[in-house]
């Protein structure tokens, strides 16, 4: 082989990091630094109620709902509040914990918590690669780059690294959509089952896929596809089966009462946050913004109807079983996070904006994400 040929061969093996990849990595470092800074200023009192596993600097990733995932991975569904959470994430944490414990020389809850952080971080990285590739194929490199930036700078972007199910759900939905685009029925059904057992988002995804096949509501009828029909049914049945099983364990939907949720008309929590009942909070503002963006996406033309229906059903579920204390819509932004076609839609829309407006939006997004990360580190910012 000539020297020129060897040089060409070697150049193809070089890893060239794009500016977007560098920026996403930098955003992770910045959010981590903000969370640790918040943890160092954390004070005792009511904030300690959020719990958290590990040393203080880790607790931004292991507080709130993460406590329950760690407990389920350690002891199973041992009491009713745990039955509000689906089984895939704690199962993966339990499987990964022995190896993580061996490498990090930790055990018990600490190794489980580190396992959860690693699962979320790796799942998020893999999801970004898949979403970028699929979006490039469907639209353009520019739209793909901006979609990744939107996902990296959401207000609750710190959650992508936490012991939550957002990153895992994002990855599974990306795998599901990739399989459906390639008309691969078995992988699509497998991804749909996994989504349904990971998070209740399997219900809106299943309903969205099935209703899109029927051409209802107000959708153009199209030729039914067996892969989408089977995947939709699988997602719906998987989430339904998980809820039935959790209900038999002593909770399911009823366990939401432990977390201050109860049946409500969907517009009531929105109205309460809009009118400032209980005082305005950053959580209220970001969640109301998410509801506005989601509603605009639902009404958008030329977007995949299955995703538009899924977002509508997801919001309906969340706002019907709503929090009864401020911020009333607190979980809306976090529920929207894994529904990544909304980020792609925002990225497409951003191509119409002028550079000054884009810079302003980007600056605001970065500032909000950093403030939320700092608040999470303090234990003063409830993700819902």
């Amino acid at each position: 082989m000539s020297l020129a040929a060897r040089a060409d061969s070697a150049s193809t093996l070089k890893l060239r990091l794009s500016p977007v990849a560098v920026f996403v990595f930098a955003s992770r470092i910045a959010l981590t630094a903000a969370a640790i800074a918040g943890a160092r200023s954390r004070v005792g009192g009511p904030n300690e109620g959020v719990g958290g596993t590990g040393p203080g600097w880790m607790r931004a990733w292991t507080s709130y709902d993460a406590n329950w995932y760690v407990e389920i991975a350690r002891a199973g569904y041992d009491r009713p509040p745990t039955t509000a959470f689906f089984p895939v994430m704690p199962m993966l944490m339990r499987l990964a914990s022995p190896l993580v414990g061996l490498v990090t020389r930790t055990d018990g809850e600490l190794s489980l918590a580190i396992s959860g952080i690693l699962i979320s971080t790796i799942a998020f990285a893999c999801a970004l690669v898949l979403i970028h590739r699929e979006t490039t194929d469907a639209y353009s490199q520019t739209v793909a780059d901006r979609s990744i930036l939107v996902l990296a700078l959401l207000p609750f972007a710190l959650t992508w690294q936490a012991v939550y199910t957002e990153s895992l759900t994002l990855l599974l939905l990306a795998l599901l959509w990739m399989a459906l685009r390639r008309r691969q029925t078995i992988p699509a059904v497998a991804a749909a089952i996994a989504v349904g057992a990971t998070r209740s988002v399997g219900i809106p995804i299943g309903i969205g896929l099935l209703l899109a096949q029927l051409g209802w509501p107000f959708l153009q009828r199209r030729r039914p596809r067996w892969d989408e029909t089977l995947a939709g049914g699988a997602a719906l049945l998987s989430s339904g089966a998980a809820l039935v099983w959790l209900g038999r364990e002593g909770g399911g939907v009823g366990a939401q009462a432990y977390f201050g949720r109860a049946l409500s008309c969907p517009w009531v929590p929105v109205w309460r946050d809009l009118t400032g009942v209980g005082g305005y909070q950053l959580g209220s503002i970001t969640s109301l913004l998410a509801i506005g963006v989601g509603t605009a996406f639902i009404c958008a033309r030329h977007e995949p109807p299955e995703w538009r229906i899924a977002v509508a059903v997801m919001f309906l579920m969340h706002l019907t079983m709503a929090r009864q204390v401020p911020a009333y819509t607190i979980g809306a932004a976090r529920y929207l996070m894994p529904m990544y076609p909304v980020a792609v839609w925002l990225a497409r829309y951003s191509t119409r904006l002028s550079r000054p407006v884009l810079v302003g939006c980007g600056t605001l997004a970065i500032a909000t994400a950093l403030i939320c990360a700092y608040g999470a580190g303090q234990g003063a910012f409830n993700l819902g």
Side-chain angles (χ1 to χ4, degrees), residues 265-356:
C265 294
W267 57 85
V268 171
V270 177
W271 176 253
R272 286 176 173 173
D273 275 343
L274 278 173
T275 55
V277 178
Y280 289 108
Q281 301 180 16
L282 182 59
S284 303
I285 296 169
T286 53
S287 292
L288 287 171
L289 178 63
I291 291 170
V293 169
T295 302
F297 176 76
I298 293 165
C299 299
R301 299 175 60 188
H302 309 304
E303 298 304 318
E306 45 270 78
W307 284 102
R308 292 163 60 197
I309 297 169
V311 171
V313 174
M314 182 198 67
F315 276 149
L316 223 77
M317 288 169 49
H318 167 65
L319 296 174
T320 299
M321 184 61 70
R323 270 172 49 116
Q324 302 301 298
V325 293
Y328 302 96
T329 59
I330 188 65
R334 191 165 60 82
Y335 276 66
L336 191 65
M337 285 175 64
M339 313 296 274
Y340 70 89
V342 179
V344 176
W345 172 70
L346 285 172
R348 290 173 60 199
Y349 186 80
S350 73
T351 59
R352 307 177 189 176
L353 304 177
S354 65
R355 184 176 293 274

Side-chain angles (χ1 to χ4, degrees), residues 213-228:
Q213 297 303 301
L214 299 173
W216 184 89
F218 311 114
L219 301 173
Q220 183 179 358
R221 184 177 293 277
R222 63 191 187 189
R223 181 176 296 178
R225 283 177 46 182
W226 279 109
D227 56 342
E228 290 192 1

Side-chain angles (χ1 to χ4, degrees), residues 127-139:
L128 290 187
V129 172
L130 287 178
I131 293 168
H132 190 275
R133 186 171 66 185
E134 292 298 303
T135 308
T136 300
D137 292 344
Y139 300 107

Side-chain angles (χ1 to χ4, degrees), residues 65-382:
D65 287 357
N67 291 302
W68 299 105
Y69 286 113
V70 171
E71 180 174 331
I72 295 165
R74 178 185 61 81
Y77 291 92
D78 59 341
R79 53 192 176 117
T82 59
T83 57
F85 303 93
F86 281 47
V88 167
M89 182 65 169
M91 179 184 69
L92 292 177
M93 290 164 60
R94 183 177 289 184
L95 290 173
S97 178
L99 178 59
V100 170
L102 184 66
V103 173
T104 61
R105 296 183 180 180
T106 58
D107 56 14
E109 290 188 348
L110 186 54
S111 66
L112 289 168
I114 295 172
S115 299
I117 292 171
L118 288 174
I119 290 168
S120 289
T121 304
I122 293 170
F124 180 57
C126 293
L128 290 187
V129 172
L130 287 178
I131 293 168
H132 190 275
R133 186 171 66 185
E134 292 298 303
T135 308
T136 300
D137 292 344
Y139 300 107
S140 67
Q141 177 84 27
T142 299
V143 172
D145 289 348
R146 292 187 182 186
S147 300
I148 298 309
L149 293 178
V150 170
L151 288 169
L153 294 173
L154 291 172
F156 296 166
L158 183 75
T159 312
W160 295 128
Q161 299 160 246
V163 189
Y164 275 60
T165 57
E166 271 66 23
S167 292
L168 190 57
T169 305
L170 181 74
L171 174 60
L172 292 171
L173 288 176
L175 288 169
L176 171 60
W177 194 241
M178 182 179 71
L180 290 176
R181 281 176 56 83
R182 287 164 171 69
R183 304 209 169 196
Q184 299 171 332
T185 303
I186 293 176
V189 170
I193 292 171
V195 165
T198 300
R199 193 178 175 90
S200 59
V201 75
I203 294 172
I205 289 294
I207 292 175
L209 286 169
L210 293 176
L211 288 186
Q213 297 303 301
L214 299 173
W216 184 89
F218 311 114
L219 301 173
Q220 183 179 358
R221 184 177 293 277
R222 63 191 187 189
R223 181 176 296 178
R225 283 177 46 182
W226 279 109
D227 56 342
E228 290 192 1
T229 303
L230 291 173
L236 200 56
L237 289 173
S238 180
S239 278
L243 285 171
V244 169
W245 179 74
L246 291 169
R248 288 178 179 174
E249 291 292 310
V253 175
Q256 294 294 331
Y258 180 87
F259 301 98
R261 296 181 183 272
L263 290 173
S264 172
C265 294
W267 57 85
V268 171
V270 177
W271 176 253
R272 286 176 173 173
D273 275 343
L274 278 173
T275 55
V277 178
Y280 289 108
Q281 301 180 16
L282 182 59
S284 303
I285 296 169
T286 53
S287 292
L288 287 171
L289 178 63
I291 291 170
V293 169
T295 302
F297 176 76
I298 293 165
C299 299
R301 299 175 60 188
H302 309 304
E303 298 304 318
E306 45 270 78
W307 284 102
R308 292 163 60 197
I309 297 169
V311 171
V313 174
M314 182 198 67
F315 276 149
L316 223 77
M317 288 169 49
H318 167 65
L319 296 174
T320 299
M321 184 61 70
R323 270 172 49 116
Q324 302 301 298
V325 293
Y328 302 96
T329 59
I330 188 65
R334 191 165 60 82
Y335 276 66
L336 191 65
M337 285 175 64
M339 313 296 274
Y340 70 89
V342 179
V344 176
W345 172 70
L346 285 172
R348 290 173 60 199
Y349 186 80
S350 73
T351 59
R352 307 177 189 176
L353 304 177
S354 65
R355 184 176 293 274
V357 174
L358 277 176
V359 171
C361 290
T363 303
L364 184 61
I366 293 170
T368 304
L370 289 171
I371 292 169
C372 291
Y374 182 82
Q378 284 189 314
F381 189 68
N382 190 347

